Amino acid sequence: MKRNSSAGFTLIEMLVVIAIIAVLAAFAVPALTQALTRGQLTGTMNNARQLYLATFQMATDGSTNSDTNLSWPGDDATISTGASLQAFCEKLVQNDYLKAGDLQKILTAPGANCAVTATTTTPPAVTLTGISALKVYKIKEADPANTIFAVSSNYVYNTTPATATAPYGDKGFVVIRKGGDASTFRKNQSTTANYGSDANKFQSTVGKLTGDADGTVSAESGKVLTHP
């Protein structure tokens, strides 16, 4: 009685299948990586918005009650003197606009881990250690809505992000402005040169620094709270 031989893959056929899978994977991995980065950037943008909302509420309360102790960081002499992110965060915690645990989540992103601790004393003392994922500017009440409140720490204003800078390197950056609108940007949106050297277009898209007039793009040195 004659038996039917079972069909099987030859070595050549198996190699072809493996090659096809490798090619598909080569196309899929970058797309998945980009999607992951976009998701992480969105998370950092949402964290920046939480920090903004707490600051906005504090500044609004200060304006309503004529309390100069509660204000935007650039209007607070006690913060501006030290010009530190830690002093600013301590003010938010001491006045119960944010908890230390909330701040730790807000100031952390891939490659930038910031530990926030608060003492049990009254008022609590707040300490930041590590690398902050967000950078806050000395924004003032008098600044217009498109003035930048905070950015992801890998971005230096009007400068192309560096590959090794945390978080995100040159994969993208986050900006939130005084008006409350926030955006994620790509590397090729980071400088005036990317807008045909049109300073007004750059400022209307990315935002402008505190104290800058329309059409004038200055360096951020001296305009940002120092941070880990």
Side-chain angles (χ1 to χ4, degrees):
M1 195 172 172
K2 197 173 183 180
R3 293 185 179 179
N4 292 326
S5 59
S6 59
F9 283 111
T10 66
L11 178 60
I12 298 299
E13 289 171 332
M14 289 182 65
L15 291 175
V16 169
V17 170
I18 292 172
I20 292 173
I21 293 173
V23 170
L24 292 175
F27 283 107
V29 170
L32 291 173
T33 301
Q34 290 176 5
L36 176 61
T37 300
R38 284 197 298 270
Q40 292 171 334
L41 281 164
T42 300
T44 297
M45 181 178 70
N46 291 335
N47 288 340
R49 186 176 281 113
Q50 289 183 53
L51 185 64
Y52 161 80
L53 289 173
T55 305
F56 175 80
Q57 187 60 59
M58 182 171 68
T60 301
D61 289 346
S63 178
T64 301
N65 300 311
S66 299
D67 186 351
T68 57
N69 188 52
L70 306 176
S71 64
W72 294 97
D75 292 322
D76 191 322
T78 61
I79 291 175
S80 296
T81 299
S84 72
L85 180 62
Q86 180 168 295
F88 170 63
C89 290
E90 186 170 69
K91 185 67 66 76
L92 290 171
V93 172
Q94 288 179 346
N95 291 283
D96 206 27
Y97 291 101
L98 282 174
K99 302 296 184 185
D102 297 329
L103 271 171
Q104 181 160 314
K105 177 184 175 183
I106 288 169
L107 298 179
T108 297
N113 298 310
C114 186
V116 181
T117 57
T119 63
T120 56
T121 57
T122 304
V126 172
T127 302
L128 305 184
T129 55
I131 300 173
S132 172
L134 294 174
K135 182 165 54 176
V136 177
Y137 294 92
K138 300 176 186 177
I139 192 169
K140 299 180 179 181
E141 177 65 34
D143 289 325
N146 67 330
T147 306
I148 298 175
F149 165 70
V151 299
S152 52
S153 293
N154 63 316
Y155 182 55
V156 175
Y157 190 67
N158 195 27
T159 303
T160 303
T163 304
T165 307
Y168 306 118
D170 63 354
K171 296 177 182 177
F173 60 97
V174 171
V175 173
I176 185 164
R177 305 163 197 86
K178 186 173 180 254
D181 56 314
S183 306
T184 62
F185 292 94
R186 299 184 300 276
K187 175 183 177 179
N188 62 359
Q189 295 175 296
S190 57
T191 70
T192 53
N194 299 128
Y195 300 85
S197 297
D198 186 334
N200 285 297
K201 188 174 182 180
F202 171 71
Q203 288 177 325
S204 65
T205 304
V206 176
K208 64 182 182 180
L209 293 184
T210 178
D212 284 2
D214 290 344
T216 301
V217 178
S218 66
E220 71 172 37
S221 177
K223 296 185 176 184
V224 62
L225 298 178
T226 58
H227 63 290

